[in-house]
Amino acid sequence: MPRHVRGEVLAVRRAGAHRVVSLAAPGVPATFRPGTFVKVSESGRHDEGWGGSGAWWIHRVEPTSAFGPTVEVLVDPEEADAAWLLGLAVGRSVRVTGALGRPFTLPREPVPVLLVGEGGNASPLVELADRLRQRGCAVTLLLGAPDEQHLFAVREARRLARHLHVRTHDGSVGERGHVADAVGPLLAASQAAVLYTAGVPDACRPVVEAADAAGVPAQVALRVPMPCGTGLCHGCVLPVLTPGDAVRQVRACVEGPVLPGHRVAWDQLVATDAGVAP
């Protein structure tokens, strides 16, 4: 069950164009699974109201540290909900709810896997790669970004992945191009039994379609607006296909954010213009 706790801003560090925010969050790491997220809210003066709030994927957890249990979230300074969080002073009290959402499913047997992430959307894949590696899976990681500054987790990926491939749109690091163009060849080369990806719908769709074309099941963590993060407001509905190919709506924050790629009704999803960061 998720925890609703009083936390604290411990540190904010740069990671290229991104920021990694470390939060004290008692009890939250115990409920964490790769792909889940936290809702962070700023309490108002004397707890007489609320300041900002936002939902972010959990990048890393530390069950024990000098500050107790902690979580790290990756924040893009250009996101609409980022300014208030990045503006908080170290030591500021916040309210943290998590871990929330449906996580990635790990294979029962050690099999080759391919993980695909672009920019900061690679953040939930780092802990996933670590856990897959611990299970004996041969991990291939494909990371991409518009340029070097927007790449994320390359150093961690070198440690966790058996094979790492990097693509940037401008060719400043790795090969020039988009990650979606490399998915098909890497699925064949790695003989991956499962593909995992995360990001906004328009970036995830071609990755999932490449997996479908190769006959490889895909799990996708979709990054869409999550106003409440707990399923109460129904503001994060996603269209999915039932076994009979009818379309029904599910809540990204409860039934997702991780979904089977072949079950996402991509045409209807793109039509709703869902794809803004939570």
Side-chain angles (χ1 to χ4, degrees):
M1 294 295 292
R3 304 288 185 89
H4 183 66
V5 300
R6 182 175 295 278
E8 179 183 336
V9 179
L10 298 176
V12 180
R13 63 178 173 86
R14 289 179 176 269
H18 312 286
R19 304 293 183 271
V20 178
V21 180
S22 180
L23 303 165
V28 174
T31 65
F32 164 76
R33 299 293 183 275
T36 57
F37 65 96
V38 290
K39 180 76 174 180
V40 185
S41 303
E42 178 192 6
S43 56
R45 186 183 300 273
H46 304 300
D47 293 333
E48 293 176 354
W50 294 92
S53 67
W56 285 277
W57 275 324
I58 299 172
H59 170 54
R60 282 289 201 185
V61 299
E62 191 67 50
T64 58
S65 73
F67 301 95
T70 64
V71 300
E72 286 185 348
V73 298
L74 186 73
V75 180
D76 182 345
E78 297 182 1
E79 291 177 355
D81 293 333
W84 71 270
L85 180 59
L86 297 179
L88 297 180
V90 170
R92 181 69 164 87
S93 176
V94 292
R95 297 182 180 182
V96 183
T97 302
L100 297 166
R102 183 184 297 274
F104 289 108
T105 301
L106 305 184
R108 295 182 179 179
E109 303 292 334
V111 296
V113 295
L114 174 62
L115 280 59
V116 182
E118 190 157 8
N121 291 316
S123 62
L125 301 178
V126 173
E127 188 69 26
L128 174 64
D130 196 7
R131 300 201 179 192
L132 289 166
R133 181 181 60 87
Q134 292 175 26
R135 288 196 170 207
C137 295
V139 177
T140 298
L141 252 168
L142 171 60
L143 300 178
D147 51 47
E148 183 177 6
Q149 280 295 301
H150 288 85
L151 275 172
F152 182 70
V154 173
R155 182 176 300 177
E156 293 170 286
R158 289 195 180 103
R159 176 177 60 85
L160 298 171
R162 182 171 298 184
H163 301 287
L164 171 64
H165 301 265
V166 176
R167 284 202 166 201
T168 50
H169 301 178
D170 64 357
S172 54
V173 180
E175 297 184 37
R176 180 188 296 272
H178 296 260
V179 294
D181 299 329
V183 172
L186 284 180
L187 285 171
S190 66
Q191 297 184 319
V194 186
L195 178 142
Y196 298 92
T197 190
V200 296
D202 59 352
C204 290
R205 181 177 185 173
V207 174
V208 172
E209 289 177 342
D212 287 344
V216 176
Q219 295 184 37
V220 54
L222 285 173
R223 196 175 188 192
V224 297
M226 297 183 189
C228 76
T230 59
L232 296 177
C233 74
H234 290 258
C236 61
V237 293
L238 297 172
V240 299
L241 299 171
T242 67
D245 288 335
V247 176
R248 68 184 182 94
Q249 302 294 326
V250 301
R251 297 163 295 178
C253 65
V254 177
E255 287 84 9
V258 177
L259 296 165
H262 70 284
R263 287 298 178 193
V264 179
W266 294 104
D267 290 336
Q268 290 87 336
L269 177 56
V270 172
T272 65
D273 199 28
V276 182

